[in-house]
PDB file of all heavy atoms in Angstrom:
ATOM      1  N   VAL A  41      19.967  12.550   0.334  1.00  0.00           N
ATOM      2  CA  VAL A  41      20.321  13.864  -0.228  1.00  0.00           C
ATOM      3  C   VAL A  41      19.509  15.000   0.388  1.00  0.00           C
ATOM      4  O   VAL A  41      19.833  16.171   0.189  1.00  0.00           O
ATOM      5  CB  VAL A  41      20.165  13.887  -1.767  1.00  0.00           C
ATOM      6  CG1 VAL A  41      21.054  12.852  -2.422  1.00  0.00           C
ATOM      7  CG2 VAL A  41      18.721  13.724  -2.192  1.00  0.00           C
ATOM      8  N   GLY A  42      18.474  14.656   1.152  1.00  0.00           N
ATOM      9  CA  GLY A  42      17.566  15.646   1.726  1.00  0.00           C
ATOM     10  C   GLY A  42      18.224  16.765   2.526  1.00  0.00           C
ATOM     11  O   GLY A  42      17.837  17.935   2.382  1.00  0.00           O
ATOM     12  N   PRO A  43      19.193  16.470   3.384  1.00  0.00           N
ATOM     13  CA  PRO A  43      19.803  17.558   4.152  1.00  0.00           C
ATOM     14  C   PRO A  43      20.404  18.660   3.271  1.00  0.00           C
ATOM     15  O   PRO A  43      20.382  19.833   3.648  1.00  0.00           O
ATOM     16  CB  PRO A  43      20.891  16.840   4.959  1.00  0.00           C
ATOM     17  CG  PRO A  43      20.341  15.448   5.130  1.00  0.00           C
ATOM     18  CD  PRO A  43      19.650  15.153   3.826  1.00  0.00           C
ATOM     19  N   TRP A  44      20.889  18.302   2.102  1.00  0.00           N
ATOM     20  CA  TRP A  44      21.456  19.309   1.202  1.00  0.00           C
ATOM     21  C   TRP A  44      20.359  19.962   0.365  1.00  0.00           C
ATOM     22  O   TRP A  44      20.387  21.160   0.143  1.00  0.00           O
ATOM     23  CB  TRP A  44      22.529  18.677   0.324  1.00  0.00           C
ATOM     24  CG  TRP A  44      23.713  18.294   1.169  1.00  0.00           C
ATOM     25  CD1 TRP A  44      24.785  19.085   1.473  1.00  0.00           C
ATOM     26  CD2 TRP A  44      23.907  17.065   1.858  1.00  0.00           C
ATOM     27  NE1 TRP A  44      25.639  18.403   2.311  1.00  0.00           N
ATOM     28  CE2 TRP A  44      25.134  17.162   2.566  1.00  0.00           C
ATOM     29  CE3 TRP A  44      23.179  15.873   1.950  1.00  0.00           C
ATOM     30  CZ2 TRP A  44      25.637  16.131   3.351  1.00  0.00           C
ATOM     31  CZ3 TRP A  44      23.679  14.844   2.737  1.00  0.00           C
ATOM     32  CH2 TRP A  44      24.895  14.982   3.423  1.00  0.00           C
ATOM     33  N   VAL A  45      19.387  19.176  -0.055  1.00  0.00           N
ATOM     34  CA  VAL A  45      18.273  19.717  -0.841  1.00  0.00           C
ATOM     35  C   VAL A  45      17.421  20.657   0.008  1.00  0.00           C
ATOM     36  O   VAL A  45      16.991  21.722  -0.452  1.00  0.00           O
ATOM     37  CB  VAL A  45      17.397  18.570  -1.411  1.00  0.00           C
ATOM     38  CG1 VAL A  45      16.131  19.099  -2.055  1.00  0.00           C
ATOM     39  CG2 VAL A  45      18.202  17.739  -2.403  1.00  0.00           C
ATOM     40  N   LEU A  46      17.181  20.271   1.257  1.00  0.00           N
ATOM     41  CA  LEU A  46      16.337  21.068   2.150  1.00  0.00           C
ATOM     42  C   LEU A  46      17.138  22.071   2.982  1.00  0.00           C
ATOM     43  O   LEU A  46      16.581  22.731   3.855  1.00  0.00           O
ATOM     44  CB  LEU A  46      15.532  20.142   3.070  1.00  0.00           C
ATOM     45  CG  LEU A  46      14.599  19.161   2.349  1.00  0.00           C
ATOM     46  CD1 LEU A  46      13.964  18.197   3.346  1.00  0.00           C
ATOM     47  CD2 LEU A  46      13.540  19.910   1.557  1.00  0.00           C
ATOM     48  N   ASP A  47      18.437  22.138   2.738  1.00  0.00           N
ATOM     49  CA  ASP A  47      19.324  23.131   3.340  1.00  0.00           C
ATOM     50  C   ASP A  47      19.419  23.068   4.869  1.00  0.00           C
ATOM     51  O   ASP A  47      19.313  24.063   5.564  1.00  0.00           O
ATOM     52  CB  ASP A  47      18.904  24.542   2.894  1.00  0.00           C
ATOM     53  CG  ASP A  47      20.014  25.565   3.139  1.00  0.00           C
ATOM     54  OD1 ASP A  47      21.196  25.179   3.102  1.00  0.00           O
ATOM     55  OD2 ASP A  47      19.681  26.749   3.375  1.00  0.00           O
ATOM     56  N   PHE A  48      19.629  21.855   5.385  1.00  0.00           N
ATOM     57  CA  PHE A  48      19.947  21.758   6.809  1.00  0.00           C
ATOM     58  C   PHE A  48      21.202  20.924   7.050  1.00  0.00           C
ATOM     59  O   PHE A  48      21.446  20.429   8.139  1.00  0.00           O
ATOM     60  CB  PHE A  48      18.753  21.234   7.635  1.00  0.00           C
ATOM     61  CG  PHE A  48      18.306  19.833   7.366  1.00  0.00           C
ATOM     62  CD1 PHE A  48      18.901  18.750   8.011  1.00  0.00           C
ATOM     63  CD2 PHE A  48      17.253  19.587   6.498  1.00  0.00           C
ATOM     64  CE1 PHE A  48      18.467  17.457   7.779  1.00  0.00           C
ATOM     65  CE2 PHE A  48      16.808  18.293   6.267  1.00  0.00           C
ATOM     66  CZ  PHE A  48      17.413  17.222   6.912  1.00  0.00           C
ATOM     67  N   SER A  49      22.043  20.830   6.029  1.00  0.00           N
ATOM     68  CA  SER A  49      23.264  20.025   6.132  1.00  0.00           C
ATOM     69  C   SER A  49      24.280  20.634   7.102  1.00  0.00           C
ATOM     70  O   SER A  49      25.229  19.964   7.498  1.00  0.00           O
ATOM     71  CB  SER A  49      23.905  19.843   4.761  1.00  0.00           C
ATOM     72  OG  SER A  49      24.275  21.088   4.217  1.00  0.00           O
ATOM     73  N   ASP A  50      24.082  21.883   7.490  1.00  0.00           N
ATOM     74  CA  ASP A  50      25.001  22.508   8.447  1.00  0.00           C
ATOM     75  C   ASP A  50      24.767  22.009   9.881  1.00  0.00           C
ATOM     76  O   ASP A  50      25.577  22.255  10.754  1.00  0.00           O
ATOM     77  CB  ASP A  50      24.881  24.032   8.391  1.00  0.00           C
ATOM     78  CG  ASP A  50      23.476  24.519   8.679  1.00  0.00           C
ATOM     79  OD1 ASP A  50      22.506  23.828   8.310  1.00  0.00           O
ATOM     80  OD2 ASP A  50      23.339  25.612   9.262  1.00  0.00           O
ATOM     81  N   HIS A  51      23.685  21.319  10.104  1.00  0.00           N
ATOM     82  CA  HIS A  51      23.411  20.740  11.420  1.00  0.00           C
ATOM     83  C   HIS A  51      23.710  19.243  11.349  1.00  0.00           C
ATOM     84  O   HIS A  51      22.922  18.457  10.831  1.00  0.00           O
ATOM     85  CB  HIS A  51      21.959  20.980  11.831  1.00  0.00           C
ATOM     86  CG  HIS A  51      21.713  20.693  13.261  1.00  0.00           C
ATOM     87  ND1 HIS A  51      21.709  19.412  13.768  1.00  0.00           N
ATOM     88  CD2 HIS A  51      21.492  21.517  14.310  1.00  0.00           C
ATOM     89  CE1 HIS A  51      21.483  19.453  15.063  1.00  0.00           C
ATOM     90  NE2 HIS A  51      21.335  20.720  15.415  1.00  0.00           N
ATOM     91  N   SER A  52      24.872  18.852  11.866  1.00  0.00           N
ATOM     92  CA  SER A  52      25.366  17.490  11.635  1.00  0.00           C
ATOM     93  C   SER A  52      24.479  16.405  12.227  1.00  0.00           C
ATOM     94  O   SER A  52      24.273  15.370  11.592  1.00  0.00           O
ATOM     95  CB  SER A  52      26.801  17.351  12.141  1.00  0.00           C
ATOM     96  OG  SER A  52      26.853  17.523  13.533  1.00  0.00           O
ATOM     97  N   LEU A  53      23.928  16.591  13.406  1.00  0.00           N
ATOM     98  CA  LEU A  53      23.105  15.549  14.006  1.00  0.00           C
ATOM     99  C   LEU A  53      21.823  15.332  13.211  1.00  0.00           C
ATOM    100  O   LEU A  53      21.434  14.191  12.944  1.00  0.00           O
ATOM    101  CB  LEU A  53      22.782  15.900  15.460  1.00  0.00           C
ATOM    102  CG  LEU A  53      22.233  14.773  16.319  1.00  0.00           C
ATOM    103  CD1 LEU A  53      23.106  13.530  16.243  1.00  0.00           C
ATOM    104  CD2 LEU A  53      22.090  15.235  17.758  1.00  0.00           C
ATOM    105  N   ALA A  54      21.189  16.401  12.790  1.00  0.00           N
ATOM    106  CA  ALA A  54      19.976  16.288  11.967  1.00  0.00           C
ATOM    107  C   ALA A  54      20.306  15.656  10.616  1.00  0.00           C
ATOM    108  O   ALA A  54      19.543  14.837  10.101  1.00  0.00           O
ATOM    109  CB  ALA A  54      19.346  17.660  11.768  1.00  0.00           C
ATOM    110  N   THR A  55      21.455  16.033  10.060  1.00  0.00           N
ATOM    111  CA  THR A  55      21.875  15.481   8.775  1.00  0.00           C
ATOM    112  C   THR A  55      22.144  13.985   8.877  1.00  0.00           C
ATOM    113  O   THR A  55      21.608  13.193   8.092  1.00  0.00           O
ATOM    114  CB  THR A  55      23.148  16.198   8.273  1.00  0.00           C
ATOM    115  OG1 THR A  55      22.820  17.557   8.029  1.00  0.00           O
ATOM    116  CG2 THR A  55      23.675  15.561   6.994  1.00  0.00           C
ATOM    117  N   TRP A  56      22.952  13.577   9.852  1.00  0.00           N
ATOM    118  CA  TRP A  56      23.311  12.168   9.960  1.00  0.00           C
ATOM    119  C   TRP A  56      22.128  11.295  10.342  1.00  0.00           C
ATOM    120  O   TRP A  56      22.043  10.142   9.911  1.00  0.00           O
ATOM    121  CB  TRP A  56      24.494  11.979  10.908  1.00  0.00           C
ATOM    122  CG  TRP A  56      25.754  12.362  10.221  1.00  0.00           C
ATOM    123  CD1 TRP A  56      26.518  13.466  10.450  1.00  0.00           C
ATOM    124  CD2 TRP A  56      26.361  11.679   9.121  1.00  0.00           C
ATOM    125  NE1 TRP A  56      27.573  13.495   9.566  1.00  0.00           N
ATOM    126  CE2 TRP A  56      27.493  12.414   8.739  1.00  0.00           C
ATOM    127  CE3 TRP A  56      26.043  10.520   8.415  1.00  0.00           C
ATOM    128  CZ2 TRP A  56      28.319  12.023   7.692  1.00  0.00           C
ATOM    129  CZ3 TRP A  56      26.872  10.131   7.369  1.00  0.00           C
ATOM    130  CH2 TRP A  56      27.997  10.883   7.025  1.00  0.00           C
TER     131      TRP A  56
END
Side-chain angles (χ1 to χ4, degrees):
V41 300
W44 292 271
V45 172
L46 300 174
D47 197 29
F48 65 86
S49 62
D50 58 326
H51 193 289
S52 64
L53 195 51
T55 296
W56 283 108

